[in-house]
Amino acid sequence: MSKPERASIVFYDADTQQLKICTIPRSRVESAIERGMALTIPPDAPENSDAPVTDEDARKLGGMAILVQAIAHPELRARLQITTEAPMEWDTPKPPTE
């Protein structure tokens, strides 16, 4: 019997003010996965690739997961001591003017 597929969820717990990750059977969140946006890791790997997943890929994945939570939770932003390619602009983007 094969093991069930798993999904990992990164979230911010406002009560404890901590980032957390949980693992859950994928079948319990499949509908959410189908509605969400999925990124390939490494980002430039084609589908069905057996390209290695490097330390740098792992760092980028962790950084993306943390930044997504910081977008939604401003109280987390001041704690971040991570380097991004460009400075983060946390303000809501203004719509383009014609």
Side-chain angles (χ1 to χ4, degrees):
M1 186 166 119
S2 65
K3 292 183 180 183
E5 290 186 354
R6 309 291 288 175
S8 297
I9 300 170
V10 175
F11 64 98
Y12 179 74
D13 184 331
D15 292 336
T16 64
Q17 297 183 358
Q18 296 298 312
L19 286 162
K20 296 185 176 184
I21 185 169
C22 71
T23 301
I24 186 167
R26 184 172 165 155
S27 60
R28 292 190 179 180
V29 293
E30 191 66 43
S31 64
I33 291 170
E34 290 171 2
R35 291 187 313 269
M37 181 183 79
L39 299 174
T40 302
I41 306 298
D44 56 351
E47 294 294 323
N48 302 311
S49 171
D50 61 356
V53 178
T54 65
D55 288 342
E56 184 61 20
D57 296 321
R59 282 189 281 278
K60 287 178 182 177
L61 174 61
M64 286 186 291
I66 291 169
L67 290 172
V68 166
Q69 291 304 307
I71 289 169
H73 301 282
E75 67 275 18
L76 177 59
R77 297 174 191 169
R79 295 171 51 197
L80 299 183
Q81 294 184 13
I82 59 177
T83 303
T84 57
E85 187 174 320
M88 293 303 299
E89 294 184 25
W90 298 109
D91 296 329
T92 304
K94 295 180 176 129
T97 57
E98 293 185 42

